[in-house]
Amino acid sequence: MVYPEECDIIFRVKGVVEFSCQLENPNSPQSQSIISKSFQLLQWKLSSKNVVFSICKSPVILWPNVSFQSSMESLTGASACGDVLQYIESDDCGGRKSSKKKDKKRSEPTVVNIKLLFEVTNPTGTEAPSLIQVGTQQHSVKMPMPLDCIVSVTADVSLLT
């Protein structure tokens, strides 16, 4: 695998966002506008204060859009990205045996897996089911969209950057 020269850590963010919209007529000129607005709503959701990152195999939880909050007091927005690594449980079982293959592997960037979550702390209004009668036929589009992206950084870059 090819890595950028200036890369110590690769943050891999995975999660699922839900895309949904309702179209009265899928062939109408307004359909493109409705779909575009639905994607804008997804963009807003990903930049909202409810976005939470959970660092896999660690107790670290980050709220990046709320003036950078962390479940660990020692991790702040000014902390270096490399500081996250100290909280991740390693998979090493026992002592390290020296071998050329392992030494070569150590020079590769560290991959940090992150789960994308959404915090729900306030009720969103009435929770009772409601029935709505619609006079026209509508097409409803609702699908989960997997999100899988990476960010490569050097260990000394701040978390807020």
Side-chain angles (χ1 to χ4, degrees), residues 8 40 68 80 83 104 107 119-120 127:
D8 298 324
Q40 288 174 354
F68 195 89
D83 293 347
K104 186 177 181 182
S107 66
E119 180 178 45
V120 181
E127 299 298 325

Side-chain angles (χ1 to χ4, degrees), residues 2-8 107 109 152 154:
V2 178
Y3 301 106
E5 287 181 25
E6 296 287 327
C7 176
D8 298 324
S107 66
S152 59
T154 57

Side-chain angles (χ1 to χ4, degrees), residues 8-29:
D8 298 324
I9 302 170
I10 295 176
F11 289 108
R12 183 174 186 188
V13 181
K14 292 175 95 175
V16 176
V17 291
E18 180 107 358
F19 175 82
S20 65
C21 66
Q22 291 192 344
L23 306 171
E24 290 182 24
N25 180 357
N27 297 325
S28 74

Side-chain angles (χ1 to χ4, degrees), residues 71-116:
S71 60
M72 297 294 165
E73 290 180 18
S74 60
L75 284 178
T76 65
S79 299
C81 289
D83 293 347
V84 172
L85 300 178
Q86 68 184 333
Y87 297 103
I88 298 174
E89 297 174 16
S90 67
D91 291 335
D92 294 342
C93 299
R96 182 177 176 233
K97 296 178 185 176
S98 71
S99 75
K100 289 183 180 180
K101 190 173 183 180
K102 282 192 177 183
D103 289 339
K104 186 177 181 182
K105 201 172 192 178
R106 294 283 181 197
S107 66
E108 295 177 355
T110 303
V111 177
V112 176
N113 291 309
I114 300 174
K115 288 183 185 175
L116 171 68

Side-chain angles (χ1 to χ4, degrees), residues 37-155:
K37 287 179 184 177
S38 297
F39 276 111
Q40 288 174 354
L41 184 62
L42 275 180
Q43 181 183 6
W44 174 83
K45 187 176 180 181
L46 288 170
S47 61
S48 75
K49 66 179 184 176
N50 295 337
V51 169
V52 178
F53 292 139
S54 173
I55 309 293
C56 297
K57 297 182 182 181
S58 83
V60 177
I61 299 172
L62 304 173
W63 290 264
N65 298 336
V66 184
S67 66
F68 195 89
Q69 294 181 4
S70 169
S71 60
M72 297 294 165
E73 290 180 18
S74 60
L75 284 178
T76 65
S79 299
C81 289
D83 293 347
V84 172
L85 300 178
Q86 68 184 333
Y87 297 103
I88 298 174
E89 297 174 16
S90 67
D91 291 335
D92 294 342
C93 299
R96 182 177 176 233
K97 296 178 185 176
S98 71
S99 75
K100 289 183 180 180
K101 190 173 183 180
K102 282 192 177 183
D103 289 339
K104 186 177 181 182
K105 201 172 192 178
R106 294 283 181 197
S107 66
E108 295 177 355
T110 303
V111 177
V112 176
N113 291 309
I114 300 174
K115 288 183 185 175
L116 171 68
L117 306 171
F118 292 96
E119 180 178 45
V120 181
T121 55
N122 297 329
T124 58
T126 58
E127 299 298 325
S130 60
L131 296 174
I132 300 172
Q133 183 176 1
V134 178
T136 61
Q137 182 180 10
Q138 290 187 340
H139 298 271
S140 179
V141 177
K142 195 171 201 175
M143 63 182 174
M145 296 182 66
L147 177 83
D148 190 354
C149 62
I150 64 166
V151 177
S152 59
V153 297
T154 57

